[in-house]
Amino acid sequence: MQFLYDNLTATVIALMTTLILLSIQSRATQNSVAEVSRNRMGELTQTFASWLERDIERMGENFENGERAPFDNPVYTEGSGGTDITTQFTFYRDSTTSSGDEYRIATRYEVAQKGTRTVDGTSKPTYQLTRKKRRKEMGTGSWSSWSSVKGVSPSSLGYFQIDLLDKDASPVSNPNGNADQVHSVRVRFSVVSPFQNAQTFPQATHVGSVLLVRDQSDASVISVPENAKSCTGGNWKQLTDGTGTPFGCAAACKYMASGGSKGSDNCTGGKGRPW
């Protein structure tokens, strides 16, 4: 009898030990899966953010002063939870080939729903951005067809938003028609982890970036005085020094026009010597 009791006790202890080891192994596996998921989510986010910034920074590249706005109005649709999703955004730049031909290049982002993922216990739609391009030779007025896809985002975007902001960081209404008010582009998006378990945290990353828009307005032109006479009659108010800094007085303007440096500093009571 004692022999059977000892064997039963040993069996129970062995089973409990096995269960503990299995539990430890399961937790380690879950932690490993969660870590791989977080790392992959971070890689996808960083890669997408980097090429978005490089792409949008070229908006308006090689445009001449006073040319039309280098973008069309973003197109929005309401997404999950009332979040606006930018479904289309087109912007422009100019390029010159090695043979001297000049082209206007249009880049378009199109965002479409690709599926659903669970985030914080709630099923939410996920999106993917595709990038297309087309061009026209300057002066011909004829656009080529949109290219095949020239770049894609991860297929697990939680949302994607582009807003055109004024100098106070407020969205501009009808930005294409009010291009002179547009100061920057704000891009916001999230990437949901590609696979999840109970240990996955966070389950989505959120990224926001603000990029300055190239200024095509005449106000961006640096107008320095040709000579001291250029500064008379209040004309100094429309002129700047070589850095684009406005003059504080006529004396500062005359000082620079006569060969001085940093003319904007040379007002009575200011830095440097007054005229």
Side-chain angles (χ1 to χ4, degrees), residues 73-191:
N73 288 340
V75 178
Y76 301 99
T77 189
E78 186 174 335
S80 174
T83 302
D84 284 339
I85 305 296
T86 302
T87 56
Q88 183 175 292
F89 179 60
T90 306
F91 58 94
Y92 304 87
R93 63 182 175 88
D94 287 349
S95 179
T96 303
T97 65
S98 57
S99 59
D101 296 326
E102 296 183 352
Y103 288 91
R104 176 144 297 173
I105 299 174
T107 301
R108 172 172 289 178
Y109 296 156
E110 297 178 350
V111 178
Q113 185 175 340
K114 295 297 290 184
T116 58
R117 291 284 177 85
T118 300
V119 180
D120 297 328
T122 303
S123 180
K124 296 183 178 181
T126 56
Y127 304 87
Q128 184 173 45
L129 177 149
T130 57
R131 175 181 181 270
K132 298 179 180 180
K133 296 172 64 176
R134 67 176 180 175
R135 71 177 189 175
K136 70 173 181 179
E137 189 170 359
M138 301 295 283
T140 66
S142 179
W143 284 99
S144 65
S145 300
W146 286 105
S147 68
S148 57
V149 174
K150 295 293 184 180
V152 296
S153 75
S155 60
S156 54
L157 296 180
Y159 59 85
F160 180 80
Q161 298 174 330
I162 285 184
D163 298 297
L164 297 163
L165 310 179
D166 62 17
K167 59 183 179 61
D168 297 320
S170 298
V172 175
S173 177
N174 183 23
N176 182 267
N178 297 289
D180 58 327
Q181 300 178 26
V182 176
H183 182 263
S184 57
V185 181
R186 181 176 62 197
V187 182
R188 294 179 290 183
F189 66 89
S190 72
V191 176

